[in-house]
Protein backbone atom coordinates (compact mmCIF):
# COMPACT_ATOMS: atom_id res chain seq x y z
CA UNK A 1 0.00 0.00 0.00
CA UNK A 2 1.44 3.44 -0.86
CA UNK A 3 2.47 5.67 2.01
CA UNK A 4 -0.29 8.12 1.13
CA UNK A 5 -2.88 5.38 1.63
CA UNK A 6 -1.70 4.34 5.11
CA UNK A 7 -4.30 5.03 7.86
CA UNK A 8 -3.54 7.72 10.39
CA UNK A 9 -3.77 6.65 14.06
CA UNK A 10 -6.89 7.98 15.77
CA UNK A 11 -8.46 9.08 12.49
CA UNK A 12 -12.18 8.18 11.99
CA UNK A 13 -12.62 5.38 9.52
CA UNK A 14 -14.95 7.51 7.39
CA UNK A 15 -11.92 9.65 6.45
CA UNK A 16 -9.68 6.69 5.53
CA UNK A 17 -9.40 5.09 2.11
CA UNK A 18 -10.85 1.59 2.10
CA UNK A 19 -9.97 -1.29 -0.17
CA UNK A 20 -12.36 -3.58 -2.00
CA UNK A 21 -12.04 -6.35 0.61
CA UNK A 22 -13.47 -4.09 3.30
CA UNK A 23 -16.26 -3.00 1.01
CA UNK A 24 -17.13 -6.62 0.23
CA UNK A 25 -17.27 -7.38 3.99
CA UNK A 26 -20.15 -4.98 4.51
CA UNK A 27 -23.69 -6.31 4.57
CA UNK A 28 -26.27 -3.64 3.90
CA UNK A 29 -29.78 -3.72 5.24
CA UNK A 30 -32.72 -1.39 4.81
CA UNK A 31 -33.97 0.55 7.84
CA UNK A 32 -36.94 2.62 6.82
CA UNK A 33 -35.72 4.58 3.82
CA UNK A 34 -32.05 4.75 4.82
CA UNK A 35 -29.56 1.95 4.28
CA UNK A 36 -27.46 1.22 7.36
CA UNK A 37 -24.46 -1.02 6.64
CA UNK A 38 -23.47 -3.77 9.07
CA UNK A 39 -19.92 -4.82 9.85
CA UNK A 40 -18.40 -7.53 12.01
CA UNK A 41 -14.81 -6.24 11.94
CA UNK A 42 -15.03 -2.92 13.77
CA UNK A 43 -11.47 -1.90 14.79
CA UNK A 44 -12.65 0.13 17.81
CA UNK A 45 -14.14 -2.67 19.93
CA UNK A 46 -11.00 -2.69 22.05
CA UNK A 47 -11.72 0.85 23.25
CA UNK A 48 -14.93 -0.19 25.09
CA UNK A 49 -14.62 0.30 28.86
CA UNK A 50 -17.18 -1.82 30.73
CA UNK A 51 -16.08 -0.48 34.12
CA UNK A 52 -17.64 2.96 33.45
CA UNK A 53 -20.93 1.73 31.97
CA UNK A 54 -23.88 2.42 34.28
CA UNK A 55 -27.39 1.82 32.95
CA UNK A 56 -29.17 2.46 36.27
CA UNK A 57 -29.54 6.21 35.91
CA UNK A 58 -31.98 8.08 33.70
CA UNK A 59 -30.95 7.83 30.07
CA UNK A 60 -31.04 11.51 29.15
CA UNK A 61 -28.78 13.47 26.82
CA UNK A 62 -26.03 15.27 28.75
CA UNK A 63 -26.53 18.38 26.59
CA UNK A 64 -30.25 18.66 25.80
CA UNK A 65 -31.62 16.55 28.73
CA UNK A 66 -33.92 14.84 26.22
CA UNK A 67 -34.77 11.15 26.33
CA UNK A 68 -35.47 10.80 22.60
CA UNK A 69 -32.99 8.95 20.36
CA UNK A 70 -30.31 8.72 23.07
CA UNK A 71 -27.02 6.86 22.60
CA UNK A 72 -24.46 5.87 25.23
CA UNK A 73 -20.75 6.24 24.63
CA UNK A 74 -19.30 2.79 25.35
CA UNK A 75 -15.89 4.35 26.06
CA UNK A 76 -16.76 6.83 28.83
CA UNK A 77 -20.40 5.89 29.64
CA UNK A 78 -21.93 9.31 28.87
CA UNK A 79 -25.29 9.79 27.16
CA UNK A 80 -25.81 11.98 24.10
CA UNK A 81 -28.59 12.49 21.60
CA UNK A 82 -28.59 11.63 17.91
CA UNK A 83 -26.27 9.80 15.56
CA UNK A 84 -26.08 11.97 12.45
CA UNK A 85 -24.13 15.12 11.79
CA UNK A 86 -24.79 18.24 13.90
CA UNK A 87 -25.84 16.08 16.88
CA UNK A 88 -24.32 16.02 20.36
CA UNK A 89 -23.19 12.40 19.99
CA UNK A 90 -21.49 13.12 16.65
CA UNK A 91 -19.58 16.10 18.05
CA UNK A 92 -18.54 14.18 21.17
CA UNK A 93 -17.28 11.29 19.03
CA UNK A 94 -15.04 13.58 16.98
CA UNK A 95 -13.82 15.66 19.92
CA UNK A 96 -12.97 12.71 22.20
CA UNK A 97 -12.18 10.04 19.65
CA UNK A 98 -14.88 7.72 21.01
CA UNK A 99 -16.39 5.87 18.08
CA UNK A 100 -18.48 2.99 19.55
CA UNK A 101 -22.02 3.92 20.62
CA UNK A 102 -25.12 1.97 21.68
CA UNK A 103 -28.75 2.95 21.28
CA UNK A 104 -30.32 2.80 24.76
CA UNK A 105 -33.77 1.89 23.38
CA UNK A 106 -33.03 -1.12 21.16
CA UNK A 107 -29.45 -2.01 22.17
CA UNK A 108 -27.98 -1.68 18.66
CA UNK A 109 -24.33 -0.66 18.46
CA UNK A 110 -23.06 1.82 15.87
CA UNK A 111 -19.75 3.32 14.90
CA UNK A 112 -19.91 7.11 14.84
CA UNK A 113 -19.09 8.97 12.60
CA UNK A 114 -18.60 6.10 10.12
CA UNK A 115 -22.31 5.30 10.42
CA UNK A 116 -22.29 1.49 10.24
CA UNK A 117 -23.85 -0.95 12.71
CA UNK A 118 -21.48 -3.19 14.63
CA UNK A 119 -22.49 -6.86 14.81
CA UNK A 120 -20.35 -8.79 17.28
CA UNK A 121 -21.06 -11.47 19.90
CA UNK A 122 -18.73 -9.79 22.38
CA UNK A 123 -21.35 -7.04 22.84
CA UNK A 124 -24.06 -9.39 24.12
CA UNK A 125 -23.10 -8.88 27.78
CA UNK A 126 -23.50 -5.11 27.42
CA UNK A 127 -26.90 -5.51 25.75
CA UNK A 128 -28.01 -7.88 28.53
CA UNK A 129 -26.98 -5.37 31.21
CA UNK A 130 -28.92 -2.66 29.40
CA UNK A 131 -32.15 -4.69 29.42
CA UNK A 132 -31.94 -7.98 31.38
CA UNK A 133 -34.49 -10.55 30.22
CA UNK A 134 -35.57 -13.77 31.94
CA UNK A 135 -37.54 -16.59 30.35
CA UNK A 136 -40.37 -18.47 32.07
CA UNK A 137 -38.15 -21.30 33.28
CA UNK A 138 -35.66 -18.92 34.92
CA UNK A 139 -38.45 -17.01 36.65
CA UNK A 140 -40.10 -20.22 37.84
CA UNK A 141 -36.89 -21.57 39.43
CA UNK A 142 -35.70 -18.22 40.81
CA UNK A 143 -36.44 -19.32 44.41
CA UNK A 144 -34.79 -22.74 44.14
CA UNK A 145 -31.55 -22.28 42.19
CA UNK A 146 -28.54 -21.04 44.12
CA UNK A 147 -26.54 -18.54 42.08
CA UNK A 148 -23.39 -16.65 43.03
CA UNK A 149 -21.96 -13.94 40.79
CA UNK A 150 -18.87 -11.76 40.60
CA UNK A 151 -18.72 -8.16 39.40
CA UNK A 152 -16.01 -6.74 37.14
CA UNK A 153 -14.11 -5.37 40.13
CA UNK A 154 -14.12 -8.79 41.82
CA UNK A 155 -17.00 -8.09 44.21
CA UNK A 156 -19.04 -11.18 45.07
CA UNK A 157 -22.82 -10.80 45.18
CA UNK A 158 -25.97 -12.91 45.17
CA UNK A 159 -28.51 -12.01 42.45
CA UNK A 160 -31.72 -10.87 44.11
CA UNK A 161 -29.97 -10.17 47.40
CA UNK A 162 -28.02 -7.10 46.36
CA UNK A 163 -27.48 -3.66 47.84
CA UNK A 164 -29.37 -0.58 46.65
CA UNK A 165 -27.90 2.90 46.47
CA UNK A 166 -29.36 5.45 48.91
CA UNK A 167 -30.47 8.52 46.94
CA UNK A 168 -31.29 11.46 49.23
CA UNK A 169 -32.71 9.52 52.20
CA UNK A 170 -34.41 6.88 50.04
CA UNK A 171 -33.71 4.03 52.46
CA UNK A 172 -37.45 3.76 53.20
CA UNK A 173 -38.04 3.01 49.49
CA UNK A 174 -35.11 0.60 49.31
CA UNK A 175 -36.48 -1.62 52.09
CA UNK A 176 -39.90 -1.82 50.38
CA UNK A 177 -38.25 -2.80 47.08
CA UNK A 178 -36.20 -5.47 48.87
CA UNK A 179 -39.39 -6.66 50.56
CA UNK A 180 -41.16 -7.07 47.20
CA UNK A 181 -38.30 -9.31 46.05
CA UNK A 182 -39.25 -11.75 48.82
CA UNK A 183 -42.95 -11.83 47.85
CA UNK A 184 -42.60 -14.53 45.19
CA UNK A 185 -45.85 -14.01 43.17
CA UNK A 186 -45.31 -10.24 42.83
CA UNK A 187 -41.61 -10.69 42.07
CA UNK A 188 -42.31 -13.23 39.32
CA UNK A 189 -44.96 -10.97 37.81
CA UNK A 190 -42.56 -8.01 37.69
CA UNK A 191 -39.65 -10.07 36.33
CA UNK A 192 -41.82 -11.27 33.44
CA UNK A 193 -43.59 -7.92 32.95
CA UNK A 194 -43.75 -6.58 29.41
CA UNK A 195 -45.29 -3.13 28.84
CA UNK A 196 -48.33 -3.08 26.54
CA UNK A 197 -47.65 -2.07 22.96
CA UNK A 198 -51.07 -0.55 22.26
CA UNK A 199 -50.58 2.31 24.74
CA UNK A 200 -47.80 4.25 26.41
CA UNK A 201 -46.04 2.29 29.11
CA UNK A 202 -46.53 3.27 32.73
CA UNK A 203 -43.29 4.81 34.06
CA UNK A 204 -43.67 3.54 37.65
CA UNK A 205 -44.46 -0.10 36.82
CA UNK A 206 -41.95 -0.34 33.96
CA UNK A 207 -39.14 1.22 36.02
CA UNK A 208 -39.97 -1.05 38.98
CA UNK A 209 -39.89 -4.12 36.72
CA UNK A 210 -36.58 -2.99 35.20
CA UNK A 211 -35.17 -2.43 38.68
CA UNK A 212 -36.06 -5.94 39.85
CA UNK A 213 -34.60 -7.46 36.69
CA UNK A 214 -31.34 -5.59 37.31
CA UNK A 215 -31.30 -6.80 40.91
CA UNK A 216 -31.59 -10.41 39.70
CA UNK A 217 -29.10 -9.93 36.85
CA UNK A 218 -26.38 -12.62 37.27
CA UNK A 219 -24.05 -10.79 34.84
CA UNK A 220 -24.14 -7.35 36.45
CA UNK A 221 -21.00 -5.28 35.89
CA UNK A 222 -21.29 -3.91 39.45
CA UNK A 223 -22.16 -5.55 42.74
CA UNK A 224 -24.92 -3.02 43.41
CA UNK A 225 -27.95 -1.40 41.77
CA UNK A 226 -29.11 2.22 41.86
CA UNK A 227 -32.92 2.76 41.87
CA UNK A 228 -32.58 6.19 40.24
CA UNK A 229 -35.12 5.69 37.43
CA UNK A 230 -37.74 4.25 39.80
CA UNK A 231 -37.04 7.04 42.30
CA UNK A 232 -37.65 9.70 39.64
CA UNK A 233 -40.82 7.96 38.37
CA UNK A 234 -42.27 7.79 41.90
CA UNK A 235 -41.45 11.46 42.50
CA UNK A 236 -43.22 12.48 39.30
CA UNK A 237 -46.26 10.26 39.97
CA UNK A 238 -46.74 11.52 43.56
CA UNK A 239 -46.03 15.20 42.99
CA UNK A 240 -42.70 14.97 44.89
CA UNK A 241 -44.39 13.54 47.99
CA UNK A 242 -41.94 10.61 48.18
CA UNK A 243 -38.90 12.52 47.01
CA UNK A 244 -35.68 13.86 48.56
CA UNK A 245 -36.80 13.42 52.18
CA UNK A 246 -37.27 10.72 54.78
CA UNK A 247 -40.76 9.21 54.78
CA UNK A 248 -42.64 6.37 56.42
CA UNK A 249 -42.17 3.04 54.56
CA UNK A 250 -45.73 2.05 55.53
CA UNK A 251 -47.11 5.10 53.71
CA UNK A 252 -44.94 4.38 50.67
CA UNK A 253 -45.96 0.70 50.62
CA UNK A 254 -49.65 1.63 50.87
CA UNK A 255 -49.34 4.07 47.97
CA UNK A 256 -47.33 1.65 45.81
CA UNK A 257 -49.73 -1.25 46.34
CA UNK A 258 -52.70 0.99 45.58
CA UNK A 259 -50.98 2.18 42.42
CA UNK A 260 -50.14 -1.35 41.25
CA UNK A 261 -53.70 -2.49 41.98
CA UNK A 262 -55.16 0.40 40.01
CA UNK A 263 -52.92 -0.10 36.98
CA UNK A 264 -53.02 -3.93 36.92
CA UNK A 265 -56.69 -4.37 37.79
CA UNK A 266 -58.65 -6.93 35.79
CA UNK A 267 -62.18 -6.54 34.45
CA UNK A 268 -63.55 -8.31 37.52
CA UNK A 269 -61.95 -5.68 39.78
CA UNK A 270 -59.28 -7.93 41.28
CA UNK A 271 -55.51 -7.87 40.95
CA UNK A 272 -52.48 -9.88 41.99
CA UNK A 273 -51.82 -7.35 44.77
CA UNK A 274 -55.15 -8.15 46.40
CA UNK A 275 -54.75 -11.88 45.79
CA UNK A 276 -51.43 -11.81 47.66
CA UNK A 277 -51.98 -9.33 50.50
CA UNK A 278 -55.69 -8.72 50.99
CA UNK A 279 -57.40 -10.30 53.97
CA UNK A 280 -60.64 -9.61 55.79
CA UNK A 281 -61.22 -8.30 59.31
CA UNK A 282 -64.43 -8.26 61.33
CA UNK A 283 -64.99 -5.18 63.50
CA UNK A 284 -67.46 -5.04 66.40
CA UNK A 285 -68.47 -1.60 67.65
CA UNK A 286 -70.41 -0.76 70.76
CA UNK A 287 -70.95 2.41 72.81
CA UNK A 288 -68.86 2.58 75.96
CA UNK A 289 -72.02 3.24 77.98
CA UNK A 290 -73.85 0.17 76.65
CA UNK A 291 -71.59 -2.62 75.37
CA UNK A 292 -74.59 -4.87 74.70
CA UNK A 293 -75.52 -2.81 71.65
CA UNK A 294 -73.10 -4.14 69.03
CA UNK A 295 -72.62 -3.14 65.42
CA UNK A 296 -70.65 -5.53 63.22
CA UNK A 297 -68.89 -4.73 59.98
CA UNK A 298 -66.27 -6.40 57.80
CA UNK A 299 -63.54 -4.63 55.91
CA UNK A 300 -60.74 -5.58 53.54
CA UNK A 301 -57.21 -5.17 54.83
CA UNK A 302 -53.71 -5.20 53.36
CA UNK A 303 -51.89 -5.14 56.70
CA UNK A 304 -52.44 -5.65 60.41
CA UNK A 305 -51.38 -2.90 62.80
CA UNK A 306 -50.12 -4.02 66.21
CA UNK A 307 -49.98 -1.57 69.12
CA UNK A 308 -47.10 -1.76 71.57
CA UNK A 309 -47.72 -1.29 75.30
CA UNK A 310 -46.55 2.03 76.68
CA UNK A 311 -42.92 2.23 77.65
CA UNK A 312 -42.48 2.03 81.46
CA UNK A 313 -42.06 5.44 83.00
CA UNK A 314 -39.68 4.33 85.77
CA UNK A 315 -36.82 1.97 84.87
CA UNK A 316 -34.51 -0.02 87.11
CA UNK A 317 -31.48 1.07 85.06
CA UNK A 318 -30.75 3.13 81.96
CA UNK A 319 -29.93 0.07 79.84
CA UNK A 320 -33.32 -1.53 80.41
CA UNK A 321 -35.16 -2.33 77.16
CA UNK A 322 -38.71 -3.70 77.52
CA UNK A 323 -39.73 -6.79 75.57
CA UNK A 324 -43.12 -8.15 74.56
CA UNK A 325 -44.06 -11.36 72.69
CA UNK A 326 -45.76 -11.04 69.33
CA UNK A 327 -48.62 -13.20 70.59
CA UNK A 328 -49.51 -10.52 73.15
CA UNK A 329 -49.89 -7.99 70.34
CA UNK A 330 -51.95 -10.40 68.23
CA UNK A 331 -54.50 -10.70 71.03
CA UNK A 332 -55.96 -7.55 69.54
CA UNK A 333 -57.64 -9.82 66.96
CA UNK A 334 -59.00 -12.51 69.31
CA UNK A 335 -62.49 -10.96 69.26
CA UNK A 336 -62.56 -10.44 73.03
CA UNK A 337 -59.96 -7.80 73.82
CA UNK A 338 -61.59 -4.38 73.83
CA UNK A 339 -60.07 -1.17 72.50
CA UNK A 340 -61.58 2.06 73.70
CA UNK A 341 -61.48 5.14 71.53
CA UNK A 342 -63.22 8.48 71.25
CA UNK A 343 -65.85 8.27 68.54
CA UNK A 344 -65.89 10.55 65.54
CA UNK A 345 -66.90 14.03 66.64
CA UNK A 346 -65.43 13.61 70.13
CA UNK A 347 -68.81 13.48 71.87
CA UNK A 348 -68.78 9.83 72.98
CA UNK A 349 -66.54 6.83 73.43
CA UNK A 350 -66.80 3.49 71.71
CA UNK A 351 -65.46 -0.01 72.26
CA UNK A 352 -63.99 -2.01 69.38
CA UNK A 353 -63.18 -5.69 69.03
CA UNK A 354 -61.50 -7.34 66.06
CA UNK A 355 -61.46 -10.79 64.47
CA UNK A 356 -59.78 -12.18 61.38
CA UNK A 357 -62.10 -13.63 58.76
CA UNK A 358 -59.80 -14.48 55.84
CA UNK A 359 -56.02 -14.96 55.83
CA UNK A 360 -54.06 -13.95 52.70
CA UNK A 361 -50.98 -15.83 51.41
CA UNK A 362 -48.78 -13.05 52.82
CA UNK A 363 -49.58 -11.32 56.11
CA UNK A 364 -47.96 -7.95 56.79
CA UNK A 365 -47.75 -6.88 60.43
CA UNK A 366 -46.98 -3.24 61.24
CA UNK A 367 -45.73 -2.54 64.77
CA UNK A 368 -46.88 0.97 65.74
CA UNK A 369 -43.63 2.35 67.16
CA UNK A 370 -44.11 6.04 66.42
CA UNK A 371 -46.58 8.37 68.05
CA UNK A 372 -47.15 12.08 67.58
CA UNK A 373 -47.66 14.15 70.68
CA UNK A 374 -48.24 17.87 70.83
CA UNK A 375 -44.56 18.69 70.41
CA UNK A 376 -42.57 15.97 68.63
CA UNK A 377 -42.56 12.35 67.43
CA UNK A 378 -41.95 9.67 70.04
CA UNK A 379 -40.51 6.23 69.37
CA UNK A 380 -41.27 3.19 71.49
CA UNK A 381 -38.06 1.08 71.72
CA UNK A 382 -39.83 -2.07 72.96
CA UNK A 383 -38.43 -5.21 71.32
CA UNK A 384 -41.00 -7.63 69.94
CA UNK A 385 -40.04 -11.30 70.23
CA UNK A 386 -41.50 -13.46 67.48
CA UNK A 387 -41.12 -16.93 65.96
CA UNK A 388 -39.30 -17.29 62.66
CA UNK A 389 -41.31 -20.34 61.62
CA UNK A 390 -44.70 -21.81 62.39
CA UNK A 391 -46.66 -18.73 63.48
CA UNK A 392 -50.22 -20.08 63.85
CA UNK A 393 -53.05 -17.55 63.46
CA UNK A 394 -55.93 -20.02 63.90
CA UNK A 395 -56.78 -18.69 67.37
CA UNK A 396 -57.43 -15.22 65.92
CA UNK A 397 -59.86 -16.32 63.20
CA UNK A 398 -63.58 -16.06 63.81
CA UNK A 399 -64.94 -19.55 64.67
CA UNK A 400 -67.41 -19.46 61.77
CA UNK A 401 -64.59 -18.71 59.30
CA UNK A 402 -62.06 -21.32 60.39
CA UNK A 403 -63.25 -24.01 57.90
CA UNK A 404 -62.63 -21.53 55.05
CA UNK A 405 -59.01 -21.04 56.21
CA UNK A 406 -57.51 -24.55 56.39
CA UNK A 407 -53.89 -23.31 56.31
CA UNK A 408 -53.08 -20.90 59.14
CA UNK A 409 -49.34 -21.35 59.72
CA UNK A 410 -46.86 -18.75 58.51
CA UNK A 411 -43.07 -18.35 58.25
CA UNK A 412 -41.24 -15.03 58.53
CA UNK A 413 -39.56 -13.99 55.25
CA UNK A 414 -38.81 -10.27 55.77
CA UNK A 415 -38.30 -7.98 58.75
CA UNK A 416 -37.94 -4.19 58.33
CA UNK A 417 -36.25 -2.43 61.26
CA UNK A 418 -35.68 1.17 62.30
CA UNK A 419 -32.44 2.30 63.91
CA UNK A 420 -31.81 5.63 65.56
CA UNK A 421 -34.02 8.54 66.54
CA UNK A 422 -37.55 8.88 65.14
CA UNK A 423 -36.80 11.68 62.66
CA UNK A 424 -33.13 11.00 61.87
CA UNK A 425 -32.96 7.22 61.95
CA UNK A 426 -32.47 4.80 59.08
CA UNK A 427 -34.32 1.74 57.85
CA UNK A 428 -32.84 -1.65 57.08
CA UNK A 429 -34.32 -5.02 56.19
CA UNK A 430 -33.55 -8.61 57.06
CA UNK A 431 -34.67 -11.12 54.43
CA UNK A 432 -34.77 -14.89 54.22
CA UNK A 433 -33.02 -15.99 51.01
CA UNK A 434 -34.87 -19.14 50.00
CA UNK A 435 -32.30 -20.69 47.61
CA UNK A 436 -29.58 -20.66 50.29
CA UNK A 437 -31.95 -20.90 53.32
CA UNK A 438 -29.97 -18.11 54.97
CA UNK A 439 -30.82 -14.75 56.52
CA UNK A 440 -29.24 -11.57 55.14
CA UNK A 441 -29.33 -8.01 56.41
CA UNK A 442 -29.50 -5.30 53.75
CA UNK A 443 -28.75 -1.74 54.78
CA UNK A 444 -28.52 0.31 51.58
CA UNK A 445 -25.32 -0.94 49.88
CA UNK A 446 -24.20 -3.20 52.73
CA UNK A 447 -25.27 -6.85 52.55
CA UNK A 448 -24.23 -9.11 55.44
CA UNK A 449 -25.24 -12.60 56.52
CA UNK A 450 -26.88 -12.75 59.96
CA UNK A 451 -27.80 -15.55 62.31
CA UNK A 452 -31.52 -16.30 62.75
CA UNK A 453 -31.17 -15.56 66.47
CA UNK A 454 -30.10 -11.99 65.69
CA UNK A 455 -33.23 -11.28 63.64
CA UNK A 456 -35.44 -11.31 66.73
CA UNK A 457 -33.25 -8.77 68.57
CA UNK A 458 -34.04 -5.78 66.37
CA UNK A 459 -36.61 -3.00 66.62
CA UNK A 460 -39.03 -4.51 64.11
CA UNK A 461 -41.34 -2.14 62.29
CA UNK A 462 -42.80 -4.17 59.40
CA UNK A 463 -42.89 -7.96 59.24
CA UNK A 464 -43.88 -10.12 56.26
CA UNK A 465 -45.10 -13.66 56.94
CA UNK A 466 -45.54 -16.19 54.15
CA UNK A 467 -48.18 -18.88 54.41
CA UNK A 468 -46.68 -22.35 54.41
CA UNK A 469 -48.72 -23.53 51.41
CA UNK A 470 -47.04 -20.97 49.09
CA UNK A 471 -44.81 -22.94 46.72
CA UNK A 472 -41.37 -21.99 45.45
CA UNK A 473 -42.76 -20.93 42.05
CA UNK A 474 -45.13 -18.44 43.71
CA UNK A 475 -48.33 -20.45 43.38
CA UNK A 476 -50.61 -20.80 46.39
CA UNK A 477 -53.85 -22.51 47.24
CA UNK A 478 -57.11 -20.67 46.68
CA UNK A 479 -59.72 -22.09 49.00
CA UNK A 480 -63.06 -22.49 47.29
CA UNK A 481 -65.16 -22.59 50.45
CA UNK A 482 -66.95 -19.29 50.87
CA UNK A 483 -66.64 -17.36 54.09
CA UNK A 484 -70.03 -17.29 55.84
CA UNK A 485 -71.77 -13.99 56.24
CA UNK A 486 -72.00 -12.39 59.66
CA UNK A 487 -75.02 -13.76 61.50
CA UNK A 488 -75.38 -11.06 64.14
CA UNK A 489 -78.37 -8.84 63.57
CA UNK A 490 -77.48 -5.18 63.45
CA UNK A 491 -79.65 -2.44 64.88
CA UNK A 492 -79.89 0.16 62.12
CA UNK A 493 -80.21 2.95 64.63
CA UNK A 494 -76.98 2.00 66.31
CA UNK A 495 -75.27 1.59 62.93
CA UNK A 496 -76.20 5.12 62.00
CA UNK A 497 -75.06 6.41 65.37
CA UNK A 498 -71.67 4.65 65.29
CA UNK A 499 -70.33 4.95 61.79
CA UNK A 500 -66.74 3.98 60.99
CA UNK A 501 -64.79 6.50 58.97
CA UNK A 502 -61.83 5.57 56.73
CA UNK A 503 -59.38 7.23 59.11
CA UNK A 504 -60.84 5.16 61.95
CA UNK A 505 -60.31 1.98 59.96
CA UNK A 506 -56.63 2.84 59.68
CA UNK A 507 -56.41 2.66 63.47
CA UNK A 508 -57.75 -0.89 63.25
CA UNK A 509 -55.00 -1.84 60.84
CA UNK A 510 -57.38 -1.72 57.90
CA UNK A 511 -56.28 -0.22 54.62
CA UNK A 512 -59.15 0.18 52.22
CA UNK A 513 -58.15 -1.03 48.76
Amino acid sequence: MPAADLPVAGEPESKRPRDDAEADGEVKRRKGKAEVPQRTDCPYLGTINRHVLDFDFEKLCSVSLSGENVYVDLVDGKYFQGRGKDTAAYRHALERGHYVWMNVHDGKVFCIPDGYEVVDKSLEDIKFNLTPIFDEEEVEHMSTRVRYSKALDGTDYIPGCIGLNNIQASDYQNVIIQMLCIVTPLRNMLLAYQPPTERKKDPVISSLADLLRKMYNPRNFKGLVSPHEFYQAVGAATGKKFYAKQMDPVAFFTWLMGYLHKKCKTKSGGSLVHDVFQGEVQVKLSPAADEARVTESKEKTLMLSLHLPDEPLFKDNLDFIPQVPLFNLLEKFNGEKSHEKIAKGGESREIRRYNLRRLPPYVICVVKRFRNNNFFVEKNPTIVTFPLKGLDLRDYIHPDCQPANPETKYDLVANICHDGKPEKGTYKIQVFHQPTSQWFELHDLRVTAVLPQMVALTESYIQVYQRQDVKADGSFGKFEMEIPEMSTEVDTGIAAEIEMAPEDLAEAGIIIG
Side-chain angles (χ1 to χ4, degrees), residues 306-311 324 329 367-371 380-384 460:
L306 306 177
H307 295 269
L308 289 172
D310 293 335
E311 186 181 1
V324 59
L329 305 183
V367 181
K368 306 288 285 187
R369 289 194 175 274
F370 304 101
R371 181 175 59 184
N380 192 330
T382 302
I383 292 180
V384 180
S460 301

Side-chain angles (χ1 to χ4, degrees), residues 254 258 274 278 299-302 501-503 505-506 510-513:
T254 304
H274 282 186
Q278 191 179 72
E299 296 294 341
K300 307 295 184 181
T301 172
L302 292 183
E503 57 268 22
L505 294 176
I510 298 173
I511 305 298
I512 301 177

Side-chain angles (χ1 to χ4, degrees), residues 5 8 16 31 100 117 125 155 158 368 381 398 411 426 502:
D5 295 335
V8 180
R16 302 179 186 174
K31 181 181 179 183
V100 188
E117 181 182 351
D125 60 334
T155 304
I158 300 177
K368 306 288 285 187
H398 194 278
D411 297 334
T426 59

Side-chain angles (χ1 to χ4, degrees), residues 343-363:
K344 188 176 181 181
E347 299 178 355
S348 61
R349 294 178 301 163
E350 60 187 19
I351 303 297
R352 303 183 182 186
R353 294 178 175 86
Y354 308 105
N355 256 135
L356 302 179
R357 290 176 55 84
R358 183 174 64 238
L359 296 176
Y362 287 83
V363 170

Side-chain angles (χ1 to χ4, degrees), residues 435-452:
T436 59
S437 298
Q438 189 174 2
W439 281 91
F440 289 92
E441 182 177 280
L442 298 94
H443 190 186
D444 295 334
L445 296 177
R446 189 174 70 249
V447 180
T448 55
V450 294
L451 295 174

Side-chain angles (χ1 to χ4, degrees), residues 422-443:
E423 298 178 351
K424 297 182 180 180
T426 59
Y427 293 96
K428 62 182 180 181
I429 184 172
Q430 296 163 334
V431 299
F432 180 72
H433 191 243
Q434 292 186 1
T436 59
S437 298
Q438 189 174 2
W439 281 91
F440 289 92
E441 182 177 280
L442 298 94
H443 190 186

Side-chain angles (χ1 to χ4, degrees), residues 195-489:
T197 56
E198 64 273 7
R199 63 179 184 272
K200 186 178 180 181
K201 66 179 182 180
D202 185 86
V204 175
I205 300 179
S206 59
S207 60
L208 178 60
D210 291 341
L211 177 59
L212 260 67
R213 283 193 284 262
K214 291 176 182 177
M215 294 174 64
Y216 280 90
N217 181 11
R219 293 184 279 172
N220 199 341
F221 291 156
K222 312 180 300 298
L224 56 95
V225 176
S226 178
H228 190 270
E229 286 186 296
F230 176 70
Y231 188 65
Q232 295 287 349
V234 169
T238 60
K240 304 295 183 180
K241 179 180 179 181
F242 299 105
Y243 190 80
K245 57 183 177 181
Q246 181 76 273
M247 294 291 291
D248 188 358
V250 175
F252 177 69
F253 173 78
T254 304
W255 173 85
L256 183 60
M257 292 301 101
Y259 190 92
L260 291 178
H261 169 69
K262 179 181 177 181
K263 297 297 181 179
C264 303
K265 187 164 50 177
T266 60
K267 294 182 179 180
S268 60
S271 68
L272 183 61
V273 173
H274 282 186
D275 293 341
V276 171
F277 292 122
Q278 191 179 72
E280 194 172 295
V281 174
Q282 178 174 326
V283 184
K284 296 180 181 180
L285 297 178
S286 61
D290 186 7
E291 296 189 19
R293 302 165 60 190
V294 178
T295 301
E296 290 190 1
S297 62
K298 58 180 181 180
E299 296 294 341
K300 307 295 184 181
T301 172
L302 292 183
M303 58 185 70
L304 304 177
S305 69
L306 306 177
H307 295 269
L308 289 172
D310 293 335
E311 186 181 1
L313 186 60
F314 302 101
K315 304 177 182 179
D316 296 336
N317 54 68
L318 297 178
D319 297 331
F320 174 76
I321 300 178
Q323 298 185 13
V324 59
L326 178 65
F327 300 100
N328 291 7
L329 305 183
L330 288 174
E331 288 181 358
K332 171 183 178 180
F333 299 97
N334 61 8
E336 299 177 358
K337 188 174 182 179
S338 60
H339 299 266
E340 184 175 337
K341 187 184 177 184
I342 299 177
K344 188 176 181 181
E347 299 178 355
S348 61
R349 294 178 301 163
E350 60 187 19
I351 303 297
R352 303 183 182 186
R353 294 178 175 86
Y354 308 105
N355 256 135
L356 302 179
R357 290 176 55 84
R358 183 174 64 238
L359 296 176
Y362 287 83
V363 170
I364 299 179
C365 299
V366 178
V367 181
K368 306 288 285 187
R369 289 194 175 274
F370 304 101
R371 181 175 59 184
N372 289 317
N373 57 24
N374 295 331
F375 305 99
F376 53 88
V377 179
E378 294 179 310
K379 177 184 175 182
N380 192 330
T382 302
I383 292 180
V384 180
T385 58
F386 48 85
L388 298 182
K389 291 183 178 295
L391 175 64
D392 196 347
L393 299 180
R394 178 172 294 274
D395 295 338
Y396 312 103
I397 302 177
H398 194 278
D400 296 340
C401 304
Q402 288 186 359
N405 296 274
E407 182 58 65
T408 59
K409 290 187 177 181
Y410 288 79
D411 297 334
L412 184 70
V413 293
N415 181 40
I416 296 178
C417 317
H418 181 269
D419 289 339
K421 297 182 179 180
E423 298 178 351
K424 297 182 180 180
T426 59
Y427 293 96
K428 62 182 180 181
I429 184 172
Q430 296 163 334
V431 299
F432 180 72
H433 191 243
Q434 292 186 1
T436 59
S437 298
Q438 189 174 2
W439 281 91
F440 289 92
E441 182 177 280
L442 298 94
H443 190 186
D444 295 334
L445 296 177
R446 189 174 70 249
V447 180
T448 55
V450 294
L451 295 174
Q453 296 84 348
M454 300 300 296
V455 176
L457 298 179
T458 56
E459 298 179 0
S460 301
Y461 185 42
I462 303 175
Q463 293 182 331
V464 182
Y465 283 90
Q466 175 181 286
R467 205 167 60 195
Q468 291 186 350
D469 67 334
V470 178
K471 299 179 181 179
D473 60 354
S475 60
F476 50 86
K478 294 184 179 181
F479 310 126
E480 298 180 356
M481 181 180 295
E482 295 185 0
I483 298 179
E485 295 294 331
M486 294 179 297
S487 58
T488 305
E489 295 184 359

